[in-house]
Amino acid sequence: MSRARAAVLRRTTGGPFATERPLSIETLELDAPGAGEVEVRMEAAGICHSDLSRVNGTRAAVLPMVLGHEGSGTVVRCGPDTHGIRVGDRVVTTFLPRCGTCLQCTGPGWSVCGNGTRANKRGELLRGGLRFRRDDATPVHHNAGVSAFATRTVVDASALVVVPRSVPADVAAVLGCAVLTGGGAVSNAGRLLPGQTVAIVGLGGVGFAAMLVAAGRSPAAILAVDMLQDKLAMAPGFGATAVATPDEATMAGTRYDLVVECVGNRAALETAIALTGPGGRTVTVGLPAAGANLSVSPLSLVTEGRSLIGSYVGSGVPRADIQAYARMFQAGDLPLDRLISGHIGLDQINEGMDALHRGDVLRQIITLDQEPDATA
């Protein structure tokens, strides 16, 4: 058994989070990893809009819950049957484990693991149950099978990807969500080809990651779309050849071969659809509130041969994609360090949520270097 300092979500609130403190920093007991599971000493974790959506109640959370899903760390203990992962490996967490046996995992093509999805909704690990608990034995739930906002965590081996230790911990962290999601939307779901045009709607960490990956595929043009002028001013440094607000983009009338929506609200997706040209693809990765609806003309989809595609976990094989992005970073072809706005401590996480809500940052990285003393 180990002990971990962790950010525990105890209640949802609309903020300001620095005042209302929905996330408390607690020392928890952590059970040893079981079969197919790995204990990871976390080193870095990114704060994503998906985490913010848990805090503000846009996405349901089973409370109490240790938040965080985008992270990196070092393997310190392996349970039985964790093939390919060893103590001492640097690993990147991914936010959906794969059982390898359900219809979705064994069927043709790519699909989201059904058992992994159900476990995530219950706030449990893939093989069932919880590994965190308070000193009074109160169980604490897992977020996305990861719970990266903790100095130590237990993760199913199928949700971990080994990367070289030469990849810095903060860069390794963003590989697990921002880059996996944004890059996969461009490469796997969007199938962007050299010479095509692309627009990115929503310039958070995922949107800018999508732009970096798109820029490496030699497009004819990249349009960056956002409501915040500060974000638009940053976009040329990530490969954008033009920038616009949503109203400016739609009024201009230019349409694109691929449009990736990275916000998670109806207006942004409607903008993305409007910007998609004949034969083009609209890929959406944003996570709207449950029950949100979209109004779209099916006639234009048919007569123009356009596609509306949902993309999750990068629409590919996380292990292969993350390792490919890591190699591109090492070769100097994918400057992922540009995504990192700054570093904070775990105790500053509520303030970090406020900064993300305001749109002040891309990816804040929590540096996880203050472990409790007791480890059994």
Side-chain angles (χ1 to χ4, degrees):
M1 183 180 68
S2 301
R3 292 169 68 81
R5 291 185 76 240
V8 180
L9 180 65
R10 295 192 288 182
R11 61 188 178 89
T12 60
T13 175
F17 310 115
T19 301
E20 300 190 6
R21 318 299 291 183
L23 287 155
S24 62
I25 308 306
E26 305 179 19
T27 297
L28 305 176
E29 306 290 343
L30 180 66
D31 290 339
E37 297 174 352
V38 174
E39 181 177 337
V40 181
R41 177 174 56 78
M42 298 301 297
E43 297 166 346
I47 304 180
C48 173
H49 268 95
S50 297
D51 303 307
L52 178 61
S53 296
R54 297 285 199 200
V55 175
N56 65 23
T58 301
R59 298 178 65 219
V62 188
L63 303 180
M65 172 181 278
V66 177
L67 280 194
H69 63 281
E70 179 187 84
S72 67
T74 296
V75 174
V76 293
R77 195 181 328 191
C78 293
D81 303 323
T82 52
H83 306 293
I85 296 180
R86 297 171 297 183
V87 171
D89 283 340
R90 169 159 288 165
V91 289
V92 173
T93 62
T94 65
F95 51 94
L96 182 66
R98 295 188 70 83
C99 70
T101 59
C102 70
L103 179 62
Q104 290 81 6
C105 284
T106 58
W110 182 90
S111 186
V112 173
C113 174
N115 287 328
T117 299
R118 286 186 285 273
N120 281 2
K121 287 182 178 179
R122 295 191 302 266
E124 298 181 355
L125 293 187
L126 176 64
R127 296 159 202 262
L130 310 177
R131 307 295 178 267
F132 287 111
R133 63 181 182 276
R134 290 178 172 142
D135 289 337
D136 63 2
T138 301
V140 180
H141 293 85
H142 301 263
N143 179 53
V146 175
S147 293
F149 295 165
T151 54
R152 292 195 180 215
T153 188
V154 170
V155 183
D156 193 89
S158 67
L160 296 173
V161 179
V162 178
V163 297
R165 295 204 68 83
S166 56
V167 178
D170 52 1
V171 171
V174 300
L175 289 169
C177 178
V179 182
L180 181 66
T181 299
V186 169
S187 302
N188 299 328
R191 305 186 308 280
L192 181 67
L193 298 174
Q196 291 187 320
T197 58
V198 58
I200 309 295
V201 179
L203 303 181
V206 172
F208 274 118
M211 196 179 306
L212 284 175
V213 173
R217 298 177 73 88
S218 302
I222 301 177
L223 173 69
V225 181
D226 201 277
M227 297 179 65
L228 299 178
Q229 291 297 326
D230 288 347
K231 296 286 183 68
L232 295 178
M234 297 169 61
F238 288 79
T241 57
V243 302
T245 65
D247 287 344
E248 291 169 344
T250 52
M251 289 178 61
T254 304
R255 299 167 74 188
Y256 296 80
D257 297 309
L258 171 64
V259 185
V260 180
E261 181 273 321
C262 306
V263 180
N265 67 49
R266 184 180 68 184
L269 184 50
E270 288 176 344
T271 295
I273 293 170
L275 293 176
T276 307
R281 299 164 303 285
T282 309
V283 177
T284 176
V285 302
L287 294 173
N293 294 304
L294 175 71
S295 177
V296 60
S297 168
L299 179 62
S300 64
L301 293 178
V302 174
T303 59
E304 294 188 345
R306 291 188 285 126
S307 302
L308 176 57
I309 305 165
S311 178
Y312 194 56
V313 204
S315 299
V317 179
R319 180 169 288 105
D321 289 352
I322 287 173
Q323 290 176 342
Y325 295 137
R327 289 192 296 270
M328 293 168 66
F329 168 77
Q330 289 179 302
D333 298 328
L334 194 62
L336 299 178
D337 46 336
R338 296 181 189 176
L339 296 173
I340 298 170
S341 303
H343 300 77
I344 64 174
L346 192 59
D347 294 317
Q348 299 169 285
I349 191 167
N350 288 292
E351 290 79 3
M353 291 290 173
D354 280 324
L356 183 60
H357 176 70
R358 292 191 301 266
D360 296 344
V361 293
L362 299 184
R363 267 303 189 268
Q364 301 166 95
I365 299 296
I366 300 172
T367 301
L368 296 157
D369 56 0
Q370 297 179 2
E371 288 204 275
D373 293 333
T375 301

